[in-house]
């Protein structure tokens, strides 16, 4: 259970930061499903997500400062895709794996899925009058995150299972879509799907234009991600790897159970890649210690490989965090980067802007 | 554990039929990895397997008799892919799932993976002198399948775990490749990878040419299939869904453990599809009662769907089996076909030949 405990510890500790954001819950009136409003054409994932590879109109890494990090990426991609190169990798093997939280979209002040859990507890409360008197539900309803944390991992797991199970597959998918359409980030007051990192969305498109198949490999919930990653990133559901609860086929439907199936974090990420993809990644990107094993696994490839580590150094355009952070802690992996051959992205130095709306 | 017991019961009962084939073990000298020798160009999967969709040179279902079954397939594909059709399905949603054993390749006289297990026990025996005196290993080494069966499910599971665990991921992949290169089918005396059904390989190519993404969803071992399905079927590793043992990332490698992770059979197939693919299939093909839930799940799709059930009626060119068979038992699903809307393939009537070498 240690990977699970670690993952949930992060969740619980992270929730403490939400204390100042208790008011930012989903507003009631339903709106249109999230779109990429505000993103310029070059950064928009195809409206009908096609199956890779498509040679998209030669996208450049135009949100990246022309410096050593951008050059390292471009040189590597050229090295493994140029037909004349001795290091050419066949297209079928060009697998790129990306963490999601903190690598592709914002995870501050807290994981988006944690905001979802707390909003869902509030939404389900009318069906559970007993929650007013029962921890940790009482604490979650009151937005009292200290009290939520006092319930520890077991307590937070009760919140997760209460809000992620007990419905069938289609119903959960609808719940996630509706929440994403109405929820707003407490700092930027935008739908969470607009808080993707423009330079990373470009990187995904750039890799696909060079014959890579792009996957998400995240500690977040797989069915929390699948409704929107195709639109936001061009990554279809079958290319999303994540944590899961168990489910069961009965009476002609897929029922989601109150039982953890798999935690796709830390040492779980190479396992998730092995089980879901079955190929050794060529390119990997992460941002925290939970991505260390995925990056190390990628670097054990016999032949060229590239591991990118995104360091949140930009307190002005986003949030600066790392070694001391409960959410997306980056400590061990940053120390390992030189020896293990990770290319570190300094967000402040290497990106012209963080979010598309900052262009 | 009931899905596992059911799956293993099939394995154990099926092994009894191997009694007459105890001599057909893998010959020692290593040879080249399996290729599609003997398959005419039209049926050969691309040498460098590309990522779907590719418009391959308009493949036809030329191994299929021009009759109602072939027409049903062609009409359906036209209905959901013709841009003028009111039932048009966007390419990203065109998911096709195929069982493997008995649907895409031969499973008689026994599942190929069972032949692998028994050969591996013999290959590993020198490292385990104690097996000479320990059941069910003793029975497996003597080719005494009655005695193997006497060990029941728990006994056979010991054989499976002994031959599928205790090595790392790369080593197991090599073991499978080597075995496939040298093992021969006891009846046809050919590599097992030449015992794919030519009409079904064409069907895969036909679907892909019309923008479908083709997946395997099998009760067989996922890492037993991944080394060869790209070459044999054009289905890459990341599009193979199957049963798994557990694995663990440690000391810079993926170690395979002696513990069952997931059984992708029967009611497990909709779960495997939900977890791995995350899209509702449009087209499904199976051949036995273990595929019933997968076919039923496909038919619950809101919108057009197609479920194909392959019935082994051809005692001359293959083996006729179904209701009474231990391997690939087809009983409940055949009865359900009319009511549940499955299109049944009569192999004897509907196929011009079964294997490519019979052209």
């Amino acid at each position: 259970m240690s990977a699970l405990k670690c993952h949930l510890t992060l969740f619980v500790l992270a929730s403490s930061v939400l204390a100042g954001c208790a008011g930012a819950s989903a507003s009631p009136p339903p709106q249109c499903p999230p779109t990429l409003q505000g993103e310029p054409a070059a950064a928009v994932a195809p409206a009908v997500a096609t199956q890779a590879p498509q040679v998209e109109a030669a996208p450049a890494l135009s949100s990246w400062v022309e410096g050593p990090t951008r050059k390292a990426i471009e040189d590597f991609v050229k090295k493994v895709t140029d037909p004349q190169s001795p290091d050419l990798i066949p297209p079928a093997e060009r697998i790129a794996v990306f963490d999601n939280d903190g690598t592709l979209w914002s995870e501050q002040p807290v994981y988006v899925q944690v905001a979802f859990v707390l909003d869902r507890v509030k939404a389900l409360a009318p069906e559970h009058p007993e929650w007013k008197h029962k921890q940790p539900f009482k604490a979650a309803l009151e937005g009292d995150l200290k009290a939520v944390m006092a319930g520890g991992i077991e307590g937070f797991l009760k919140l997760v299972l209460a809000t992620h199970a007990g419905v069938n597959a289609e119903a959960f998918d609808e719940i996630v879509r509706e929440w994403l359409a109405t929820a707003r980030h407490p700092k930027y007051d935008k739908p969470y799907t607009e808080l993707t990192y423009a330079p990373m969305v470009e990187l995904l498109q750039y890799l696909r234009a060079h014959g890579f198949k792009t996957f998400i490999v995240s500690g977040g919930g797989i069915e929390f991600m699948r409704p929107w990653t195709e639109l936001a990133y061009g990554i279809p559901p079958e290319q999303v790897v994540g944590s899961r609860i168990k489910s069961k086929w009965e009476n002609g439907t897929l029922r989601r159970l109150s039982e953890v199936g798999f935690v796709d974090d830390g040492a779980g990420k190479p396992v998730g890649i092995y089980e879901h993809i079955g190929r050794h990644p060529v390119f990997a990107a992460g941002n925290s210690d939970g991505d260390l094993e995925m990056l190390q696994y990628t670097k054990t490839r016999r032949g060229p490989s590239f591991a990118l580590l995104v360091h949140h150094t930009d307190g002005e355009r986003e949030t600066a965090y790392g070694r001391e952070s409960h959410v997306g802690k980056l400590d061990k992996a940053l120390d390992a980067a030189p020896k293990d051959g990770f290319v570190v992205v300094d967000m402040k130095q290497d990106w012209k802007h963080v979010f598309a709306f900052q262009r």
Side-chain angles (χ1 to χ4, degrees), chain A residues 46-284:
Chain A
V48 175
T50 54
Q51 298 168 37
Q54 290 275 329
V55 181
E56 293 158 341
L61 295 174
S62 52
S63 296
W64 294 71
V65 168
E66 291 192 38
T69 307
R70 175 171 167 174
K71 189 176 189 312
I73 296 169
E74 290 167 342
D75 287 352
F76 175 78
V77 171
K78 188 171 159 62
K79 178 164 96 158
V80 299
T81 62
D82 184 340
Q84 308 305 322
S85 166
D87 293 308
L88 178 68
I89 296 175
E93 296 174 31
R94 294 179 200 164
I95 301 295
V97 294
F98 282 72
D99 172 55
N100 183 34
D101 301 309
T103 299
L104 293 176
W105 78 344
S106 169
E107 62 183 357
Q108 296 289 347
V110 73
Y111 298 113
V112 180
Q113 198 167 356
V114 170
F116 171 75
V117 168
L118 295 171
D119 279 349
R120 283 301 293 160
V121 170
K122 291 181 187 122
L124 291 168
E127 300 167 42
H128 296 274
E130 73 281 9
W131 285 358
K132 287 194 211 108
H133 314 289
K134 187 174 166 185
Q135 295 294 11
F137 298 96
K138 181 175 188 291
L141 287 171
E142 292 167 354
D144 182 354
L145 287 148
K146 280 208 172 90
V148 170
M149 281 174 63
I153 289 158
E154 292 70 24
F156 197 77
L157 184 54
K158 285 182 188 150
L159 295 177
V160 171
L161 293 178
T163 52
H164 282 65
V167 291
N168 73 10
E170 285 85 0
F172 187 75
D173 182 85
E174 266 309 302
I175 288 166
V176 171
R177 287 175 192 275
E178 257 187 53
W179 182 80
L180 283 166
T182 56
R184 294 290 176 268
H185 190 284
K187 177 174 169 184
Y188 304 107
D189 192 30
K190 289 182 185 296
Y192 287 99
T193 44
E194 281 186 38
L195 297 166
T196 55
Y197 299 139
M200 296 302 281
V201 174
E202 274 173 22
L203 176 56
L204 290 168
Q205 294 169 328
Y206 180 78
L207 288 170
R208 285 195 297 266
H210 288 87
F212 279 78
K213 205 169 198 176
T214 51
F215 289 81
I216 282 173
V217 178
S218 165
I222 195 171
E223 294 98 4
F224 180 75
M225 292 186 284
R226 278 174 161 163
W228 57 271
T229 57
E230 190 165 32
L231 196 62
Y233 304 133
I235 297 178
E238 61 271 23
Q239 285 163 220
V240 174
V241 184
S243 298
R244 307 184 295 264
I245 62 166
K246 290 191 176 173
S247 54
K248 189 175 182 182
W249 175 256
E250 58 181 28
N251 302 324
T253 191
L254 278 157
R255 200 160 64 83
R256 292 167 57 81
L257 308 174
S258 284
E259 201 183 333
V260 174
F262 178 66
V263 178
D264 186 57
D265 198 35
K269 287 197 177 191
V271 173
I273 290 168
Y274 180 50
E275 293 185 352
H276 196 116
I277 304 176
R279 292 203 201 255
H280 202 129
V282 169
F283 189 107

Side-chain angles (χ1 to χ4, degrees), chain A residues 188 314-318 347-348 351-353 355 358:
Chain A
Y188 304 107
D314 195 332
E316 202 179 296
R317 300 177 303 186
E318 202 218 6
M347 283 172 72
K348 189 170 177 176
W351 288 358
K352 294 178 185 170
H353 39 259
F355 303 111
Q358 290 170 337

